[in-house]
Amino acid sequence: MLQDEATPEEKYRELTHLLREICTFSQALEVGDRTQCFKILSDYGFMSAVEGMLAYEDKDVVGTAVDILMSIADFHCSILRDHILQDGESQSEDNQFMNLLINLLVDGEYTDLEVQVVGLIKIIIDPEAIMAESTAQTVEKSLFLNYFYKHCMHRLMAPLMAQTAGTKISRDSSQNSALLSHILDILSLCVARHTYLIRNYIIDKNALSRVLVLMTSSHAHLALAALRFCRKIVGLKDEFYNRYIVRDNLLAPIIKAFIANGRRYNLLNSAIIELFEYLRVENVKSLVSYVVENFWSTLEHIEYVDTFKALRLKHEQEMDRRDNKDSAPAVPGILHGGGEVMTRYRRDPRQMGEDEEAWFDEEEEEVTAIYTDPFTSSPTPPLHSLPVPTSSTSPPSTTSTTSTTSTSSSPHSPPTIRLDATLTSIPPSSTSSSSPSKPIPAPSPFTQVSYSPRPPAALNRAPQSESSSIKTPIVTQALKSLVDYDEDSDEEEKSEDQVESPAKRKKLDDT
């Protein structure tokens, strides 16, 4: 009966009220029952009947249709989106369901319904609601949004484009300002949620420039709505938007409105200062440079806030950083594909640093100093670097200049080993007794000590004198400078020396 054109007007109005009561009653049902209820209504052509109600020329019927759509959008907005896409394929653009809603807003005939219509449009085009309700039977986000920007966006923007062709708004009435504020409210949602689709539309149609013309309006709420829209774009920190703003000098209307407002402490003044404070805090470099380089002469006299001076300081710091970076010497790179590429690379963590290399150099100097003869100032090789005689080679038979014991006096006496021969290079000697031995160079006073091992019977005698004892400081110092493989502390070594000194002395005597 609602789709029948022969239905009387009074009967038609009663049927619309009945349909609204059904939708209101369905909200009290459980989720599954409510879904089944709307599915049954859709099977009977429910959306086509509501679409006819939107086009009806009675304000009461149109208001009832909006109430019905709001009850559906709150719970099952996917039903509306599915119908919008199906309607877009079968109807002309003027009679499409989404455009009928937009016409209710932009025509200005139903001012008392504008708030409800704006809320309904925002619910329908919200992509988060689309994804939350997305199932195998519902429309996908990209498909619906592509349809909206292709067939509906130009109708929504038509009043704004028509009244901002010049440098000032053409119709600055209160009713028109309310309509434009509602349009900007929807556009702000699109900027926040639709990403690249709205960005392409704004840049292609130069929509931000048209919106900022509204800053010249005498109605503060409209100027604030335009500023809020620009602030939403700047808050995205999208370089596509930033380059678009710099290219078309789009902050000039905001600066002009700020100067025209003077020192009046109102909402417009605070909102504009907050915009530039955001640029400073977030360090949006392209816009900071753009503002300082183009508007500093206008803003430098403003001293009741530090925002603009801090903005200039931020710009100077960035310029100094760039200059230092440009003047810094290039870091040599690695050869790559036949050419030198200037690249920075990390140092190998296994590579020693300068401090570590200096520490090892000091250790080497200390070890070298231990084996240096203080009288001749010539370095003496360490003990472990000297050649050890093999069993096939007899030790050289030499006579010490300070020892009175002769090795040839007794065939059973052990050979005499010169200590200075151990600390210095051993001169070659002849293997035959008939050939004269080469003269031994005079030892230094520091190493002129010889030691003749005693036979086992002599071990019980009194301790040796200092002249014939093994107590040589250089040997003790050299042994202590070697690596402590047993990882004993100095206290442990001292205690071992005190306890095992006879055993060590015997071992040294045997050696």
Side-chain angles (χ1 to χ4, degrees):
M1 294 174 65
L2 286 171
Q3 299 181 51
D4 187 2
E5 296 181 358
T7 303
E9 182 177 348
E10 188 66 25
K11 185 68 173 179
Y12 189 89
R13 188 177 292 109
E14 292 178 358
L15 292 172
T16 58
H17 293 168
L18 174 61
L19 190 59
R20 181 175 60 184
E21 291 297 325
I22 293 175
C23 294
T24 303
F25 172 75
S26 66
Q27 296 179 7
L29 300 175
E30 297 293 336
V31 176
D33 295 337
R34 186 171 60 242
T35 303
Q36 185 67 19
C37 176
F38 281 112
K39 184 178 183 302
I40 294 173
L41 290 174
S42 299
D43 293 341
Y44 282 105
F46 166 74
M47 290 304 303
S48 298
V50 176
E51 185 176 341
M53 293 167 60
L54 289 175
Y56 205 78
E57 296 181 355
D58 186 89
K59 186 177 181 179
D60 182 63
V61 173
V62 174
T64 302
V66 172
D67 291 339
I68 293 172
L69 293 176
M70 287 297 297
S71 64
I72 298 174
D74 290 337
F75 298 99
H76 297 282
C77 195
S78 59
I79 296 176
L80 299 180
R81 299 190 191 98
D82 290 339
H83 178 74
I84 289 171
L85 285 179
Q86 295 173 4
D87 199 44
E89 297 175 355
S90 59
Q91 298 285 347
S92 62
E93 193 171 280
D94 293 338
N95 297 324
Q96 291 178 4
F97 182 82
M98 193 67 186
N99 288 332
L100 291 176
L101 283 177
I102 293 175
N103 289 338
L104 291 178
L105 176 64
V106 302
D107 287 347
E109 297 181 3
Y110 306 97
T111 56
D112 54 338
L113 298 176
E114 285 181 356
V115 176
Q116 288 179 289
V117 173
V118 169
L120 182 59
I121 293 174
K122 290 170 68 174
I123 293 175
I124 293 174
I125 66 175
D126 188 359
E128 292 188 0
I130 296 175
M131 299 304 295
E133 300 175 8
S134 178
T135 61
Q137 290 79 24
T138 58
V139 64
E140 294 182 356
K141 167 185 171 181
S142 59
L143 185 61
F144 178 81
L145 293 181
N146 286 331
Y147 163 81
F148 174 77
Y149 280 92
K150 182 178 180 180
H151 298 284
C152 308
M153 192 64 174
H154 64 281
R155 286 182 174 269
L156 180 65
M157 293 289 293
L160 177 63
M161 293 297 188
Q163 300 176 37
T164 57
T167 57
K168 291 185 177 182
I169 183 173
S170 60
R171 293 172 54 192
D172 199 12
S173 62
S174 60
Q175 181 179 352
N176 189 60
S177 64
L179 170 62
L180 295 177
S181 297
H182 292 316
I183 294 175
L184 291 177
D185 191 16
I186 297 174
L187 290 179
S188 297
L189 174 68
C190 295
V191 169
R193 304 290 177 83
H194 294 176
T195 60
Y196 71 94
L197 289 171
I198 187 64
R199 182 183 65 198
N200 294 341
Y201 183 87
I202 289 174
I203 295 176
D204 292 343
K205 304 297 182 180
N206 196 18
L208 181 57
S209 177
R210 296 296 189 93
V211 169
L212 291 176
V213 173
L214 302 178
M215 295 289 296
T216 61
S217 175
S218 59
H219 296 85
H221 70 90
L222 182 58
L224 288 170
L227 182 61
R228 184 165 56 249
F229 178 74
C230 181
R231 174 66 174 81
K232 185 75 70 174
I233 290 177
V234 172
L236 296 177
K237 294 191 287 188
D238 190 330
E239 280 302 314
F240 287 99
Y241 280 127
N242 294 344
R243 288 194 292 267
Y244 165 59
I245 292 172
V246 173
R247 183 193 69 188
D248 292 354
N249 194 24
L250 296 181
L251 293 187
I254 298 178
I255 300 292
K256 186 177 180 180
F258 180 70
I259 298 301
N261 188 69
R263 297 179 62 89
R264 283 178 289 180
Y265 187 61
N266 52 21
L267 191 57
L268 180 63
N269 177 274
S270 299
I272 294 176
I273 292 176
E274 190 277 334
L275 171 64
F276 291 106
E277 183 68 17
Y278 175 82
L279 297 180
R280 183 191 68 83
V281 172
E282 296 297 329
N283 195 19
V284 186
K285 299 177 183 178
S286 57
L287 295 184
V288 168
S289 300
Y290 159 68
V291 171
V292 174
E293 293 173 0
N294 291 274
F295 305 107
W296 175 245
S297 59
T298 305
L299 302 172
E300 62 179 345
H301 67 278
I302 299 174
E303 298 180 351
Y304 59 90
V305 289
D306 297 333
T307 298
F308 300 103
K309 291 183 179 180
L311 202 65
R312 178 184 174 87
L313 179 61
K314 179 73 71 173
H315 172 68
E316 292 175 351
Q317 291 174 350
E318 178 63 21
M319 295 304 295
D320 292 341
R321 189 189 66 81
R322 291 181 183 178
D323 294 341
N324 294 335
K325 183 178 180 181
D326 295 339
S327 60
V331 179
I334 56 175
L335 293 178
H336 219 2
E340 186 175 357
V341 181
M342 307 300 287
T343 56
R344 298 179 181 270
Y345 55 91
R346 293 182 178 178
R347 182 175 62 87
D348 190 346
R350 296 170 295 181
Q351 183 179 355
M352 291 192 301
E354 296 180 358
D355 296 339
E356 293 176 312
E357 292 180 355
W359 185 82
F360 280 108
D361 291 341
E362 293 176 0
E363 288 286 326
E364 292 177 359
E365 292 175 1
E366 293 176 1
V367 174
T368 304
I370 292 174
Y371 297 111
T372 303
D373 192 340
F375 295 96
T376 61
S377 299
S378 59
T380 306
L383 294 176
H384 58 79
S385 64
L386 295 177
V388 179
T390 60
S391 58
S392 60
T393 306
S394 60
S397 59
T398 57
T399 305
S400 173
T401 58
T402 60
S403 176
T404 58
T405 306
S406 175
T407 59
S408 59
S409 61
S410 175
H412 301 287
S413 61
T416 301
I417 301 176
R418 288 182 54 87
L419 183 60
D420 58 343
T422 307
L423 299 175
T424 58
S425 59
I426 301 175
S429 60
S430 176
T431 56
S432 62
S433 60
S434 59
S435 60
S437 60
K438 294 182 180 181
I440 299 174
S444 63
F446 185 72
T447 59
Q448 193 173 1
V449 178
S450 63
Y451 169 68
S452 298
R454 303 180 184 84
L459 289 176
N460 295 326
R461 293 183 296 178
Q464 295 176 342
S465 63
E466 293 183 359
S467 60
S468 60
S469 176
I470 194 63
K471 297 177 182 178
T472 55
I474 189 169
V475 174
T476 306
Q477 191 174 8
L479 290 175
K480 287 186 177 181
S481 66
L482 298 178
V483 180
D484 187 7
Y485 291 101
D486 295 333
E487 298 182 355
D488 295 334
S489 61
D490 295 340
E491 290 77 10
E492 294 175 351
E493 291 178 355
K494 289 179 180 179
S495 61
E496 291 176 359
D497 292 340
Q498 295 174 0
V499 175
E500 300 179 0
S501 56
K504 285 188 176 182
R505 189 179 299 111
K506 180 179 181 301
K507 185 177 181 180
L508 291 173
D509 291 344
D510 294 339
T511 305

